[in-house]
């Protein structure tokens, strides 16, 4: 079962049930992580955590909320996990072989290593984002296990049927079990490779909230909040990883603009037109702190997320818009293109070049991207090209590009904006 919203508390029993659901949503990632360490199966661990939730829903309204509700849930789930392991047919033999104490079930000792991270929650992050899973499955499982979202909430966020999300989660758990994926944080090169997957999943979740792929709303703030919370947790768990701090800084900067990105009716507001007094200065300050930590922990060239955070910091420093250091942004995009080349990065570099050097050299960059298959149905390519053509006075061509971009856009708010840009071209 999944915790479901309750009515407004109308008495002690309702208040207790509300407390159960609130505490479980906050504590469930740590509970599932701790139990997975015992049973070595994410699916079973989640079921045992849900069993603890059911027990709390039965007992707390009757007996009262315990002094430490999170610890109560954790203890209940761990006891169930130990009981389950004890019941396994070969458990007694295994205990005898390795001399493990029944009251404290722990995983095998890992090799001593200065990079060793003995943290169950971090292990859960790496497990949920394991490369054996598809990107869609990683996102769904991460939101379920670490974000505390129900299947229905995830389905609503990504505008897909609830059954689709449920199938992704079930298949992901089965795949992890079938592939016997270890509940661990990898070492050395494997950690760096896997960390990239973890960061990418968190970034994808944030981006879907920051600029929704489809639907009637441009923003889905709940997803941004979930991704930012995950990034902050990861920063605390991996304080020596500059890319983790870089991602956190990037999300802090991006989130700071949320209130100014839409108008009164939900319409998109372009960066140059945003009321920067509505930017969240606290989030910007947090972003600067995270970027400083990224620089302090770096031992070589900056990684992709640190570079993107540095670009976002340039925008955060610009008050007003006219003070934007486009030359530095173009330079940073050049470094990013060299570090992590992609057509989308090159398209963003073209925008920066257009602001630093003019639309003509930027148009050459965009025209070179027109033949890239990955951008064939990417609505921002004709959108950027239309903007460059309009600035060059080639309004007829610009109108055609904006119309093409509008036809490709799946988000209704973006489509409306692009259609308006086309009309402005006459």
């Amino acid at each position: 079962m999944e915790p479901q919203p309750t009515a407004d508390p109308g008495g002690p029993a309702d208040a207790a049930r509300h407390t159960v659901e609130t505490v479980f949503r906050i504590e469930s990632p740590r509970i599932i992580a701790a139990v997975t360490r015992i049973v070595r199966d994410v699916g079973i661990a989640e079921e045992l955590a849900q069993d603890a939730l059911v027990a709390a829903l039965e007992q707390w309204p009757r007996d009262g909320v315990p002094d430490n509700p999170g610890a109560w849930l954790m203890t209940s789930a761990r006891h169930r996990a130990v009981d389950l392991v004890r019941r396994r047919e070969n458990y007694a033999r295994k205990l005898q072989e390795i001399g493990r104490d029944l009251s404290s079930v722990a995983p095998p000792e890992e090799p001593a290593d200065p990079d060793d991270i003995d943290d169950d929650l971090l292990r859960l992050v790496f497990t949920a984002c394991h490369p054996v899973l598809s990107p869609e499955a990683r996102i769904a499982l991460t939101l379920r296990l670490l974000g505390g979202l129900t299947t229905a909430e995830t389905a609503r966020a990504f505008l897909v049927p609830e059954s689709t999300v449920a199938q992704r989660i079930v298949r992901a758990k089965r795949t992890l079990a079938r592939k016997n994926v270890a509940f661990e944080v990898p070492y050395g090169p494997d950690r760096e490779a896997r960390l990239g997957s973890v960061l990418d999943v968190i970034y994808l979740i944030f981006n879907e909230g920051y600029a929704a792929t489809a639907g009637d709303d441009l923003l889905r703030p709940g997803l941004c909040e979930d991704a930012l919370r995950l990034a902050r947790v990861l920063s605390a768990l991996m304080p020596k990883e500059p890319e983790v701090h870089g991602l956190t800084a990037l999300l802090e900067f991006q989130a700071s603009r949320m209130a100014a990105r839409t108008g009164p009716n939900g319409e998109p507001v372009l960066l140059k037109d945003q009321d920067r007094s509505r930017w969240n200065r606290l989030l910007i300050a947090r972003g600067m702190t995270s970027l400083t930590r990224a620089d302090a922990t770096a031992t070589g060239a900056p990684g992709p997320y640190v570079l993107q955070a540095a670009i976002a910091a340039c925008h955060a420093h610009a008050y007003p818009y006219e003070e934007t250091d486009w030359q530095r942004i173009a330079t940073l995009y050049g470094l990013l293109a060299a570090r992590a080349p992609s057509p989308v990065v090159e398209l963003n570099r073209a925008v920066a070049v257009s602001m630093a050097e003019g639309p003509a050299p930027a148009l050459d960059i965009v025209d070179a991207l027109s033949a890239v298959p990955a951008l064939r149905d990417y609505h921002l390519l004709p959108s950027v090209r239309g903007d460059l053509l309009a600035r060059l006075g080639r309004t007829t061509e610009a109108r055609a590009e904006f119309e093409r971009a509008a036809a490709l856009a799946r988000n209704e708010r973006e489509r409306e904006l692009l259609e308006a840009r086309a009309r402005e071209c006459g």
Side-chain angles (χ1 to χ4, degrees):
M1 71 171 277
E2 294 178 346
Q4 299 297 323
T6 60
D8 291 336
D14 285 338
R17 281 190 288 270
H18 180 74
T19 300
V20 173
E21 293 164 3
T22 301
V23 172
F24 185 80
R25 186 162 189 142
I26 295 171
E27 297 294 334
S28 61
R30 291 178 176 82
I31 295 170
I32 293 169
V35 173
T36 302
R37 184 182 180 96
I38 298 172
V39 300
R40 296 288 170 157
D41 186 300
V42 169
I44 293 175
E46 188 186 12
E47 291 176 5
L48 293 172
Q50 293 286 344
D51 287 345
L53 169 65
V54 172
L57 287 170
E58 293 173 348
Q59 296 180 37
W60 294 8
R62 182 189 66 226
D63 303 334
V65 177
D67 293 336
N68 191 334
W72 190 100
L73 287 168
M74 176 70 79
T75 300
S76 178
R78 286 178 63 89
H79 283 169
R80 283 169 167 76
V82 172
D83 288 342
L84 176 65
V85 175
R86 284 174 173 170
R87 290 196 300 268
R88 289 175 176 168
E89 292 182 356
N90 62 349
Y91 183 59
R93 177 182 57 80
K94 287 185 176 181
L95 283 177
Q96 189 174 19
E97 290 175 355
I98 63 177
R100 186 180 298 167
D101 182 75
L102 280 171
S103 63
S104 177
V105 183
E109 289 293 325
E110 294 180 346
D113 187 285
D115 291 332
D116 185 33
I117 301 176
D118 188 16
D119 189 288
D120 292 336
L121 187 57
L122 188 57
R123 295 169 192 267
L124 185 61
V125 172
F126 276 86
T127 301
C129 298
H130 197 283
V132 299
L133 304 177
S134 69
E136 296 81 6
R138 293 178 211 168
I139 290 172
L141 194 60
T142 299
L143 286 175
R144 174 65 169 267
L145 299 181
L146 295 153
L149 271 66
T150 65
T151 302
E153 287 169 335
T154 304
R156 283 197 302 271
F158 286 91
L159 302 180
V160 295
E162 187 173 343
S163 59
T164 299
V165 173
Q167 289 172 2
R168 287 175 184 170
I169 292 172
V170 169
R171 289 171 182 166
K173 293 174 185 175
R174 288 176 179 170
T175 298
L176 293 174
R178 186 176 68 254
K179 297 287 187 178
N180 197 27
V181 171
F183 183 60
E184 64 180 6
V185 176
Y187 291 88
D190 287 343
R191 177 183 298 177
E192 183 177 351
R194 289 267 295 279
L195 180 60
S197 174
V198 171
L199 299 181
D200 289 347
V201 166
I202 295 174
Y203 190 43
L204 284 170
I205 293 170
F206 183 90
N207 271 351
E208 186 58 31
Y210 191 73
T213 304
D216 297 329
D217 299 315
L218 179 69
L219 306 177
R220 297 201 180 98
L223 280 179
C224 292
E225 292 168 5
D226 285 320
L228 186 51
R229 179 166 53 83
L230 291 173
R232 289 169 178 168
V233 168
L234 200 58
S235 287
L237 296 175
M238 305 187 75
K240 297 181 180 180
E241 291 288 349
E243 276 291 83
V244 174
H245 294 305
L247 174 65
T248 304
L250 174 60
L251 301 195
E252 300 278 12
F253 288 135
Q254 299 289 72
S256 73
R257 306 179 203 161
M258 293 282 285
R261 292 197 69 236
T262 55
N265 299 314
E267 69 277 11
V269 178
L270 298 176
L271 181 64
K272 65 183 179 64
D273 299 323
Q274 290 177 14
D275 178 0
R276 300 193 173 204
S277 68
R278 301 185 66 198
W279 285 9
N280 189 313
R281 311 314 295 184
L282 175 60
L283 291 180
I284 290 174
R286 293 184 66 135
M288 295 298 181
T289 299
S290 292
L291 186 55
T292 300
R293 288 173 180 161
D295 292 337
T297 55
T299 56
Y305 285 112
V306 173
L307 288 170
Q308 290 180 76
I311 292 169
C314 290
H315 291 296
H317 281 303
Y319 191 92
Y321 172 80
E322 288 72 22
E323 295 179 358
T324 305
D325 189 348
W326 287 108
Q327 189 60 59
R328 174 167 170 73
I329 291 174
T331 299
L332 288 168
Y333 267 120
L335 294 174
L336 180 60
R339 182 73 168 79
S342 82
V344 173
V345 169
E346 193 67 4
L347 183 61
N348 286 328
R349 186 175 76 85
V351 173
V353 168
S354 78
M355 301 304 296
E357 303 174 20
L363 185 60
D364 291 338
I365 299 172
V366 172
D367 285 345
L369 293 171
S370 298
V372 176
L375 297 183
R376 184 176 57 238
D377 298 322
Y378 188 52
H379 69 287
L380 293 183
L381 177 62
S383 173
V384 170
R385 192 168 190 275
D387 182 71
L388 298 175
L389 290 168
R391 290 167 58 188
L392 288 168
R394 296 160 60 178
T395 54
T396 301
E397 295 171 83
R399 182 176 65 250
E401 290 296 323
F402 284 129
E403 289 173 347
R404 178 168 173 263
L408 290 172
R410 293 170 55 197
N411 184 279
E412 185 61 30
R413 295 297 187 175
E414 284 190 297
R415 184 182 299 115
E416 292 171 354
L417 175 63
L418 291 165
E419 290 171 345
R421 294 294 306 276
R423 289 193 296 272
E424 291 171 1
C425 293

